[in-house]
Amino acid sequence: MRVTVVDHPLIAHKLTLLRDERTPSPVFRQLVDELVTLLAYEATRDMVVEPVQITTPIGTTTGVRLVRPLPLVVPILRAGLGMLEGMTRLLPTAEVGFLGMQRDEETLKTITYAHRLPEDVSGRECFLLDPMLATGGTLITAINYLLSLGARDVTVICLLSSPEGMHILGEAIGDRANVKVVTAAVDERLNDKGYIVPGLGDAGDRLYGVASG
Ligand code: URA
């Protein structure tokens, strides 16, 4: 598993605002959107392109285009939904699938409550969107699911990560697939409730408010 911590002053600035407990939901959503676009720029660096001949108003030249099949972007509901727009702004032709996952706050185990993905994703570059790589449980389940559908190249975009989650994810995936994690920061640690410290709190609640049920 490869990890890229994107070191950029704009990302650090926006992340600081995002962490601040005084930042209200509308501003939080806007910041997530902007951060994802910046991270997506790095996350798409290895995308495969092929040459294409084009004619400009002045002459002809060879450019490039993304190879088919087109990439698949998969936000993990609920909080990953807040990252979708920022990603598809950069990859407007990507197909979008959905995974609904939730962690049991007692056991910290992952529950998958919804999925909407193509039956076969072999040959696709898959981008998983989840703002927090905390215990790693959700992402391990999500990556294993994509691998079971034939994926071999999975890029995870997350805003914040924990060292513990990063380690567990790396161990769980091993060399079964080409997995890359692109994140804005790796924080200090997890607390005993599985939250990232200092982190930013509950990303879903900060994006969408506290909705239970
Ligand atoms: N999920 C969150 O939203 N925040 C954390 O700190 C950990 C998991």
Side-chain angles (χ1 to χ4, degrees):
M1 185 176 89
R2 283 180 300 150
V3 176
T4 304
V5 182
V6 186
D7 181 18
H8 191 289
L10 268 183
I11 292 184
H13 170 77
K14 289 177 193 296
L15 190 57
T16 304
L17 295 172
L18 196 73
R19 290 181 190 276
D20 193 326
E21 64 178 5
R22 295 168 303 180
T23 300
S25 279
V27 181
F28 191 92
R29 281 198 290 272
Q30 178 68 31
L31 287 165
V32 169
D33 182 75
E34 292 167 1
L35 275 164
V36 172
T37 303
L38 293 169
L39 292 175
Y41 181 72
E42 189 58 42
T44 50
R45 186 173 288 284
D46 299 331
M47 286 192 74
V48 185
V49 289
E50 61 188 4
V52 57
Q53 277 291 117
I54 54 150
T55 305
T56 76
I58 313 295
T60 59
T61 186
T62 306
V64 297
R65 67 173 168 216
L66 296 178
V67 296
R68 289 178 178 269
L70 289 168
L72 179 69
V73 174
V74 184
I76 300 182
L77 309 181
R78 150 181 86 137
L81 203 52
M83 301 170 75
L84 181 58
E85 188 100 2
M87 184 71 193
T88 51
R89 183 174 303 118
L90 218 58
L91 271 184
T93 54
E95 205 176 332
V96 179
F98 294 93
L99 273 176
M101 290 181 163
Q102 180 173 5
R103 71 174 179 178
D104 182 317
E105 294 298 337
E106 296 290 311
T107 63
L108 300 185
K109 291 227 162 28
T110 305
I111 302 159
T112 305
Y113 62 86
H115 46 83
R116 180 88 194 218
L117 289 169
E119 278 173 19
D120 180 6
V121 301
S122 46
R124 313 281 295 257
E125 176 71 38
C126 300
F127 293 91
L128 270 175
L129 308 180
D130 191 357
M132 311 298 271
L133 197 183
T135 61
T138 302
L139 280 168
I140 292 170
T141 309
I143 292 171
N144 280 335
Y145 192 61
L146 288 174
L147 299 189
S148 76
L149 301 178
R152 283 297 160 263
D153 291 296
V154 180
T155 300
V156 175
I157 302 181
C158 52
L159 302 177
L160 285 184
S161 318
S162 74
E164 297 92 331
M166 202 68 97
H167 178 75
I168 290 167
L169 185 61
E171 294 280 297
I173 303 305
D175 54 13
R176 288 183 298 138
N178 176 23
V179 173
K180 184 165 88 170
V181 177
V182 177
T183 185
V186 182
D187 273 8
E188 282 167 36
R189 61 183 173 87
L190 285 183
N191 69 13
D192 58 2
K193 294 200 160 59
Y195 278 82
I196 296 177
V197 182
L200 50 75
D202 188 302
D205 288 354
R206 294 202 62 191
L207 277 162
Y208 302 120
V210 187
S212 57

